[in-house]
Amino acid sequence: MSGQTLTDRIAAAQYQLTGSDVARAVCKATTHEVMAPKKKHLEYLISTTNETNVNIPQMADTLFERSTNASWVVVFKALTTTHHICIYGNERFIQYLASRTSLFNLSNFIDKTGSHGYDMSTFIRRYARYLNEKAYAYRAMAFDFIRVKKGADGVMRTMAPDKLLKAMPALQTQVDTLLEFDVHPKDLNNSIINAAFLLLFKDLIKLFASYNDGIINLLGM
């Protein structure tokens, strides 16, 4: 399906009528077009997270609402947009995700409209589990393993023993959940999953750096 559907245009118009530019941008980033969320919409959402008067809960809740769509395209783009904001947006966004009583509920998601939708549904379920685990880890530790300072004077390298023994299992679980995405080159056949893969790859590098710092700290004890 190419181009924005009538449903996309109606949804965007509804948010425009209610005066919510943020919700409208979320809607535009998660259209039915089989392409990664557009850079201009992602940049707008990221910039708004740094504004003091932005409604972070509304932004997140609109993304969760989009993730309940029946189309794999809309759902995958909602997850990718959420992940993008977690990485590049203000930390208040992931703080809000961690405070929510419910996160992505996609363990049974399946799009049966075609073989492509069926295949992508598998990765959507795995991706949602990882983003949930990312929020759980933040809830447990009150920081993001990806954002924290790395190296000799980094957070994991200088962490107190009791806190480190709590942090390492949480970090290991996040790494394990990310690796469960388990994508192969043949699966990277559209720009949406490619965008998700790139974000996951960047997360993995930083998670391993945090894990390495934690191990060095443990050995030093």
Side-chain angles (χ1 to χ4, degrees):
M1 187 182 294
S2 61
Q4 290 187 39
T5 66
L6 180 60
T7 305
D8 293 329
R9 296 180 187 279
I10 291 172
Q14 286 175 334
Y15 288 122
Q16 190 170 22
L17 288 171
T18 59
S20 175
D21 291 335
V22 167
R24 184 167 174 264
V26 168
C27 195
K28 284 184 169 290
T30 57
T31 62
H32 288 77
E33 295 173 277
V34 184
M35 59 184 292
K38 290 182 180 177
K39 185 179 179 181
K40 64 179 181 180
H41 301 314
L42 293 175
E43 288 179 344
Y44 172 78
L45 291 169
I46 289 164
S47 68
T48 57
T49 63
N50 293 309
E51 296 175 8
T52 54
N53 61 343
V54 72
N55 190 334
I56 295 286
Q58 183 194 47
M59 180 188 294
D61 292 348
T62 307
L63 283 162
F64 279 101
E65 181 186 326
R66 296 296 281 171
S67 76
T68 63
N69 197 282
S71 166
W72 75 266
V73 177
V74 176
V75 177
F76 217 152
K77 289 169 82 168
L79 296 178
T80 306
T81 302
T82 301
H83 194 180
H84 200 91
I85 300 170
C86 283
I87 295 174
Y88 300 108
N90 191 287
E91 194 169 349
R92 290 184 301 151
F93 182 79
I94 193 170
Q95 283 174 348
Y96 174 71
L97 294 188
S99 73
R100 281 180 60 105
T101 55
S102 62
L103 293 166
F104 292 109
N105 183 20
L106 294 167
S107 57
N108 296 316
F109 177 82
I110 187 165
D111 183 338
K112 297 180 180 178
T113 55
S115 59
H116 201 54
Y118 190 89
D119 292 341
M120 288 298 109
S121 294
T122 300
F123 296 107
I124 284 170
R125 294 192 295 271
R126 294 171 182 172
Y127 198 14
R129 277 200 300 272
Y130 170 70
L131 293 178
N132 286 349
E133 191 56 49
K134 188 178 176 75
Y136 295 148
Y138 193 99
R139 185 186 299 171
M141 301 307 305
F143 65 80
D144 184 352
F145 288 111
I146 288 151
R147 288 176 175 261
V148 293
K149 186 176 182 180
K150 314 293 193 296
D153 58 346
V155 170
M156 294 296 288
R157 193 83 68 92
T158 58
M159 189 174 284
D162 57 336
K163 193 172 183 182
L164 185 63
L165 291 173
K166 178 184 177 183
M168 290 302 286
L171 176 53
Q172 179 70 61
T173 301
Q174 191 173 337
V175 171
D176 290 345
T177 310
L178 188 156
L179 292 174
E180 285 171 6
F181 192 72
D182 195 28
V183 69
H184 297 277
K186 65 180 177 60
D187 302 313
L188 299 172
N189 51 29
N190 66 77
S191 62
I192 304 173
I193 192 171
N194 289 351
F197 174 73
L198 184 60
L199 294 174
L200 288 166
F201 182 71
K202 289 178 178 178
D203 271 14
L204 187 59
I205 291 171
K206 293 183 178 180
L207 288 171
F208 271 135
S210 284
Y211 193 82
N212 185 55
D213 283 347
I215 292 295
I216 291 171
N217 191 355
L218 280 173
L219 292 173
M221 291 175 186

